[in-house]
Amino acid sequence: MLSMKSVKEKPTYTIAVTGLNAIDSPGPGVPVIRALRDATSFNVRIIGLSYESLEPGIYMHDLVDKVYQVPYPAAGTQVMYERFEYINNIENIDFLFPNFDAELFNFIKLEERLKKELNIHMLIPTMEQFEARNKTNLYEYGKKHGIKVPFAKMIYAAHEIPPLVAEFGFPLVIKGKFYDAKIAYTAEQAMQHFNKISAQWGLPIIIQEFIHGTEVNVCGVSDGKGKLMGAVPMRKLYITDKGKAWAGVTISDKKLIDMTQKLVKETKWNGPFELEVMKTADDEYYLIEINPRFPAWCYLPVGAGQNQVESTVNLVMKNNPVYFTKYEVGKMFIRYSYDLIVNMNEFEQISTFGEL
Amino acid sequence: MKLKKDLAISDSGFLFNPSSGDSFSLNPIGVEIFKLLQKGESDDAIITLLLNDYAVDKNTIDKDLNDFKIMLTNHKLINA
């Protein structure tokens, strides 16, 4: 006898991803794409978005279906919108993963327009959330939400350092507004770091209390309604001279997960994030930084049983998103670099036409 | 003295602390002592068991056990 069973077909989404670079501080684009390729609840066509012609993700044809160059964030939202309009006319993008802190401002500004006019969806923090977790505001942010953050002050001139030394003692941390952090053990070092970082990243500079301990990080995603969709804590096992993880392991840390849950509930964080946390010898947790996007190690949670990238897409596309509560402890990632061999005509194509 | 309860050790002597991500390599006697500590055996019981199995005097075992426990404490494998 003939029988028929209704089988729901998997949807196919066209997903655009930035952050295809992979220097020793790699972008999260390639790991986000790997997670998307591993998704079991949908099929995917990947559109890579690059800023420069030497971003390796451009040439990874087994991961990326088509690549378009996009203008630098400094070009402004209108130029960016017009480029997306062009790309969308060809590709019909369903979802977009911005993976750089520096581009998020523009994407937050464009979010409604991209959604309404081009039907491109994202899951990103609101402007208020994005600004509040900014390094320059983090101390106040922690105070507001009952989370410990190292004491910090913003300064605009080197002569403001000596009075702070009396307040903080040594060592202390000198941080750039967007990037870079150095530890100073003497007043001379503090001045040097101030000059170097301010020359590269501008003012203000953040002077922060140094917390002794072990750095632990959390990769997570939240639904914007105060509920955590997934969170995996990781301890770095091997770091580069820039402090980036080159190997890491998932750890069991209930206190850290509780802190993450509290933060998400309090702030109603929307979208992916990475928490950088310092755990002291007395088991105190200090929030060092919130990155408003998936980190470059976001494929480790996939290996540990949480495809947070897949859930992010499913939440927005209303495709039965999974809210993860478990993950495998003791799962490791070990990063490596790999020399792609690329034909000059491909480099020519992306450099000249902005598409590959 | 109580070991942290979620520590995992393999027969080869690989010890993993899931709350810190630290891992260690223990020699066969280290594994034996660790497993006895995990079972909650007292120092006296451990010393008696080791005296039966190895040609060694009580003072040496006493000292080695003490050193081993100091190492466990330093690596935060003991409940505070």
Side-chain angles (χ1 to χ4, degrees):
Chain A
M1 195 173 137
L2 194 70
S3 73
M4 276 178 75
K5 219 162 59 175
S6 159
V7 179
K8 198 184 163 203
E9 269 190 31
K10 278 200 275 187
T12 297
Y13 299 133
T14 300
I15 300 181
V17 180
T18 69
L20 306 179
N21 61 316
I23 47 168
D24 53 354
S25 173
V30 171
V32 163
I33 294 168
R34 287 184 71 199
L36 289 168
R37 291 273 178 215
D38 279 9
T40 54
S41 55
F42 52 76
N43 299 314
V44 69
R45 173 171 161 78
I46 299 289
I47 307 302
L49 303 173
S50 66
Y51 290 99
E52 291 178 1
S53 305
L54 285 175
E55 292 177 23
I58 296 170
Y59 307 96
M60 296 180 180
H61 304 307
D62 50 340
L63 289 177
V64 182
D65 295 297
K66 180 83 195 268
V67 181
Y68 294 87
Q69 295 267 32
V70 288
Y72 279 110
T77 51
Q78 186 54 33
V79 176
M80 204 163 112
Y81 179 83
E82 282 163 17
R83 182 62 173 156
F84 271 91
E85 201 174 27
Y86 167 81
I87 298 168
N88 198 55
N89 277 338
I90 304 165
E91 302 295 346
N92 201 14
I93 297 165
D94 295 299
F95 195 93
L96 166 64
F97 273 104
N99 285 311
F100 283 125
D101 299 8
E103 67 189 6
L104 260 177
F105 183 86
N106 281 350
F107 280 118
I108 294 170
K109 287 265 181 207
L110 278 177
E111 186 181 11
E112 275 306 301
R113 226 176 139 197
L114 288 176
K115 191 171 150 187
K116 277 188 188 150
E117 294 172 23
L118 305 183
N119 205 26
I120 299 175
H121 300 84
M122 292 184 281
L123 191 68
I124 53 176
T126 62
M127 189 58 86
E128 196 189 354
Q129 290 169 344
F130 180 70
E131 289 294 340
R133 58 89 246 173
N134 198 310
K135 280 183 204 180
T136 52
N137 303 324
L138 194 66
Y139 183 66
E140 291 303 320
Y141 187 80
K143 247 170 60 178
K144 186 177 166 193
H145 299 294
I147 284 165
K148 285 185 179 143
V149 173
F151 187 57
K153 271 194 177 170
M154 275 187 286
I155 61 167
Y156 290 87
H159 69 75
E160 293 178 68
I161 293 176
L164 285 177
V165 168
E167 203 172 328
F168 286 76
F170 286 111
L172 48 80
V173 186
I174 319 281
K175 281 183 154 183
K177 191 180 171 186
F178 295 113
Y179 190 71
D180 218 350
K182 290 185 191 296
I183 299 166
Y185 295 90
T186 63
E188 290 73 30
Q189 268 185 351
M191 294 284 197
Q192 275 172 12
H193 295 333
F194 175 92
N195 290 330
K196 199 171 174 193
I197 296 173
S198 61
Q200 194 172 0
W201 299 103
L203 293 168
I205 289 288
I206 299 121
I207 307 285
Q208 194 178 57
E209 174 192 6
F210 181 81
I211 302 292
H212 291 270
T214 307
E215 191 185 330
V216 282
N217 297 340
V218 180
C219 175
V221 61
S222 172
D223 66 0
K225 291 176 182 138
K227 220 172 157 197
L228 197 58
M229 300 182 71
V232 174
M234 179 274 292
R235 150 106 186 270
K236 293 175 184 177
L237 294 176
Y238 194 90
I239 57 168
T240 65
D241 55 1
K242 285 194 171 137
K244 303 292 167 189
W246 208 254
V249 61
T250 57
I251 56 171
S252 162
D253 196 326
K254 190 176 176 304
K255 222 169 152 184
L256 188 55
I257 295 288
D258 288 348
M259 175 181 155
T260 309
Q261 248 158 359
K262 183 181 175 187
L263 191 76
V264 156
K265 197 176 164 190
E266 285 261 334
T267 62
K268 297 199 166 35
W269 185 266
N270 199 41
F273 60 85
E274 180 195 28
L275 302 185
E276 295 182 11
V277 177
M278 200 59 90
K279 182 182 175 183
T280 69
D282 302 324
D283 272 357
E284 301 271 8
Y285 291 75
Y286 285 83
L287 181 64
I288 305 290
E289 212 164 301
I290 303 175
N291 292 317
R293 46 154 177 85
F294 278 122
W297 58 276
C298 67
Y299 193 68
L300 177 65
V302 179
Q306 291 193 5
N307 194 334
Q308 298 172 1
V309 176
E310 181 179 6
S311 265
T312 302
V313 175
N314 282 334
L315 178 81
V316 175
M317 304 309 287
K318 298 182 173 57
N319 187 34
N320 301 318
V322 177
Y323 283 67
F324 297 103
T325 54
K326 289 181 182 162
Y327 60 91
E328 203 178 322
V329 174
K331 210 54 142 174
M332 295 169 66
F333 80 90
I334 300 171
R335 192 167 283 165
Y336 70 108
S337 60
Y338 183 95
D339 296 352
L340 289 170
I341 304 301
V342 175
N343 289 326
M344 187 53 81
N345 64 344
E346 291 193 342
F347 180 69
E348 178 196 342
Q349 176 76 22
I350 188 80
S351 306
T352 315
F353 299 104
E355 293 180 27
L356 183 65
Chain B
M1 189 193 86
K2 271 198 164 176
L3 288 171
K4 284 192 171 169
K5 64 176 182 188
D6 51 356
L7 299 175
I9 189 162
S10 71
D11 288 339
S12 67
F14 183 81
L15 171 65
F16 178 63
N17 180 356
S19 59
S20 68
D22 289 328
S23 56
F24 308 89
S25 195
L26 275 63
N27 67 16
I29 296 181
V31 175
E32 200 174 335
I33 297 174
F34 187 88
K35 285 186 173 171
L36 290 167
L37 287 168
Q38 259 188 331
K39 278 188 198 164
E41 298 285 0
S42 68
D43 286 6
D44 285 344
I46 293 171
I47 290 167
T48 307
L49 281 163
L50 293 177
L51 276 173
N52 285 337
D53 291 349
Y54 299 97
V56 64
D57 62 274
K58 186 171 180 297
N59 280 348
T60 307
I61 292 190
D62 205 4
K63 184 185 169 297
D64 287 353
L65 178 60
N66 202 41
D67 287 349
F68 187 64
K69 284 164 72 174
I70 289 170
M71 260 196 284
L72 294 173
T73 307
N74 289 342
H75 289 298
K76 300 187 172 180
L77 300 171
I78 306 291
N79 272 329

